[in-house]
mmCIF file of all heavy atoms in Angstrom:
data_model
loop_
_atom_site.group_PDB
_atom_site.id
_atom_site.type_symbol
_atom_site.label_atom_id
_atom_site.label_comp_id
_atom_site.label_asym_id
_atom_site.label_seq_id
_atom_site.Cartn_x
_atom_site.Cartn_y
_atom_site.Cartn_z
ATOM 1 N N ALA A 11 95.160 113.524 80.270
ATOM 2 C CA ALA A 11 94.938 112.111 79.984
ATOM 3 C C ALA A 11 96.245 111.332 79.791
ATOM 4 O O ALA A 11 96.437 110.662 78.781
ATOM 5 C CB ALA A 11 94.036 111.969 78.756
ATOM 6 N N PRO A 12 97.145 111.403 80.767
ATOM 7 C CA PRO A 12 98.426 110.698 80.606
ATOM 8 C C PRO A 12 98.292 109.185 80.811
ATOM 9 O O PRO A 12 97.378 108.724 81.487
ATOM 10 C CB PRO A 12 99.288 111.301 81.713
ATOM 11 C CG PRO A 12 98.303 111.635 82.785
ATOM 12 C CD PRO A 12 97.070 112.106 82.049
ATOM 13 N N ILE A 13 99.218 108.465 80.228
ATOM 14 C CA ILE A 13 99.331 107.033 80.514
ATOM 15 C C ILE A 13 100.132 106.957 81.820
ATOM 16 O O ILE A 13 101.344 107.107 81.825
ATOM 17 C CB ILE A 13 100.041 106.278 79.380
ATOM 18 C CG1 ILE A 13 99.308 106.481 78.060
ATOM 19 C CG2 ILE A 13 100.155 104.797 79.723
ATOM 20 C CD1 ILE A 13 100.046 105.926 76.852
ATOM 21 N N CYS A 14 99.437 106.768 82.920
ATOM 22 C CA CYS A 14 100.059 106.892 84.244
ATOM 23 C C CYS A 14 100.865 105.675 84.685
ATOM 24 O O CYS A 14 101.742 105.809 85.529
ATOM 25 C CB CYS A 14 98.976 107.169 85.287
ATOM 26 S SG CYS A 14 98.138 108.748 85.067
ATOM 27 N N ASN A 15 100.557 104.525 84.157
ATOM 28 C CA ASN A 15 101.234 103.292 84.580
ATOM 29 C C ASN A 15 101.630 102.476 83.351
ATOM 30 O O ASN A 15 101.208 101.342 83.162
ATOM 31 C CB ASN A 15 100.289 102.514 85.486
ATOM 32 C CG ASN A 15 100.928 101.457 86.337
ATOM 33 O OD1 ASN A 15 100.230 100.589 86.851
ATOM 34 N ND2 ASN A 15 102.228 101.480 86.548
ATOM 35 N N PRO A 16 102.473 103.065 82.486
ATOM 36 C CA PRO A 16 102.765 102.435 81.198
ATOM 37 C C PRO A 16 103.415 101.058 81.270
ATOM 38 O O PRO A 16 103.263 100.263 80.349
ATOM 39 C CB PRO A 16 103.676 103.443 80.499
ATOM 40 C CG PRO A 16 104.250 104.274 81.590
ATOM 41 C CD PRO A 16 103.196 104.321 82.654
ATOM 42 N N ASP A 41 107.788 105.460 84.516
ATOM 43 C CA ASP A 41 106.402 105.140 84.851
ATOM 44 C C ASP A 41 105.949 106.028 86.012
ATOM 45 O O ASP A 41 106.496 105.955 87.109
ATOM 46 C CB ASP A 41 106.335 103.654 85.225
ATOM 47 C CG ASP A 41 104.932 103.170 85.476
ATOM 48 O OD1 ASP A 41 104.199 103.802 86.258
ATOM 49 O OD2 ASP A 41 104.569 102.127 84.901
ATOM 50 N N ALA A 42 104.950 106.868 85.772
ATOM 51 C CA ALA A 42 104.506 107.836 86.792
ATOM 52 C C ALA A 42 104.058 107.160 88.087
ATOM 53 O O ALA A 42 104.349 107.659 89.176
ATOM 54 C CB ALA A 42 103.385 108.710 86.232
ATOM 55 N N CYS A 43 103.358 106.047 87.998
ATOM 56 C CA CYS A 43 102.929 105.359 89.220
ATOM 57 C C CYS A 43 104.121 104.826 90.005
ATOM 58 O O CYS A 43 104.176 104.971 91.237
ATOM 59 C CB CYS A 43 101.959 104.227 88.882
ATOM 60 S SG CYS A 43 100.306 104.793 88.437
ATOM 61 N N GLU A 44 105.063 104.239 89.313
ATOM 62 C CA GLU A 44 106.260 103.718 89.982
ATOM 63 C C GLU A 44 107.079 104.844 90.601
ATOM 64 O O GLU A 44 107.583 104.723 91.721
ATOM 65 C CB GLU A 44 107.122 102.924 89.002
ATOM 66 C CG GLU A 44 106.464 101.664 88.477
ATOM 67 C CD GLU A 44 106.287 100.584 89.526
ATOM 68 O OE1 GLU A 44 107.011 100.594 90.543
ATOM 69 O OE2 GLU A 44 105.429 99.711 89.326
ATOM 70 N N VAL A 58 96.772 116.976 86.881
ATOM 71 C CA VAL A 58 96.338 116.036 85.849
ATOM 72 C C VAL A 58 94.854 116.251 85.602
ATOM 73 O O VAL A 58 94.067 116.350 86.547
ATOM 74 C CB VAL A 58 96.581 114.569 86.279
ATOM 75 C CG1 VAL A 58 95.984 113.590 85.275
ATOM 76 C CG2 VAL A 58 98.059 114.302 86.483
ATOM 77 N N GLN A 70 94.038 101.746 79.420
ATOM 78 C CA GLN A 70 95.365 102.226 79.070
ATOM 79 C C GLN A 70 95.939 103.309 79.998
ATOM 80 O O GLN A 70 97.147 103.432 80.103
ATOM 81 C CB GLN A 70 95.355 102.797 77.637
ATOM 82 C CG GLN A 70 94.969 101.805 76.581
ATOM 83 C CD GLN A 70 96.050 100.776 76.291
ATOM 84 O OE1 GLN A 70 97.179 100.852 76.748
ATOM 85 N NE2 GLN A 70 95.707 99.777 75.510
ATOM 86 N N LEU A 71 95.094 104.109 80.623
ATOM 87 C CA LEU A 71 95.593 105.327 81.274
ATOM 88 C C LEU A 71 95.893 105.204 82.765
ATOM 89 O O LEU A 71 96.788 105.877 83.269
ATOM 90 C CB LEU A 71 94.625 106.478 81.009
ATOM 91 C CG LEU A 71 94.361 106.746 79.520
ATOM 92 C CD1 LEU A 71 93.370 107.892 79.350
ATOM 93 C CD2 LEU A 71 95.646 107.023 78.773
ATOM 94 N N SER A 72 95.150 104.417 83.503
ATOM 95 C CA SER A 72 95.417 104.161 84.933
ATOM 96 C C SER A 72 95.403 105.409 85.804
ATOM 97 O O SER A 72 96.078 105.474 86.837
ATOM 98 C CB SER A 72 96.762 103.431 85.103
ATOM 99 O OG SER A 72 96.838 102.286 84.310
ATOM 100 N N THR A 73 94.620 106.403 85.428
ATOM 101 C CA THR A 73 94.557 107.647 86.202
ATOM 102 C C THR A 73 94.067 107.424 87.636
ATOM 103 O O THR A 73 94.661 107.981 88.569
ATOM 104 C CB THR A 73 93.692 108.692 85.477
ATOM 105 O OG1 THR A 73 94.125 108.772 84.115
ATOM 106 C CG2 THR A 73 93.801 110.052 86.128
ATOM 107 N N LYS A 75 94.465 104.869 89.536
ATOM 108 C CA LYS A 75 95.573 104.250 90.278
ATOM 109 C C LYS A 75 96.609 105.306 90.658
ATOM 110 O O LYS A 75 97.096 105.333 91.787
ATOM 111 C CB LYS A 75 96.215 103.148 89.441
ATOM 112 C CG LYS A 75 97.352 102.433 90.136
ATOM 113 C CD LYS A 75 97.917 101.314 89.282
ATOM 114 C CE LYS A 75 99.035 100.576 89.998
ATOM 115 N NZ LYS A 75 99.572 99.483 89.169
ATOM 116 N N PHE A 76 96.945 106.177 89.720
ATOM 117 C CA PHE A 76 97.890 107.260 90.001
ATOM 118 C C PHE A 76 97.357 108.156 91.118
ATOM 119 O O PHE A 76 98.095 108.501 92.045
ATOM 120 C CB PHE A 76 98.147 108.085 88.734
ATOM 121 C CG PHE A 76 99.080 109.233 88.946
ATOM 122 C CD1 PHE A 76 100.441 109.015 89.117
ATOM 123 C CD2 PHE A 76 98.612 110.535 88.973
ATOM 124 C CE1 PHE A 76 101.321 110.086 89.314
ATOM 125 C CE2 PHE A 76 99.476 111.606 89.165
ATOM 126 C CZ PHE A 76 100.832 111.378 89.339
#
Side-chain angles (χ1 to χ4, degrees):
I13 302 172
C14 295
N15 198 197
D41 185 309
C43 285
E44 295 291 338
V58 173
Q70 300 287 351
L71 304 179
S72 307
T73 311
K75 181 178 182 180
F76 179 73

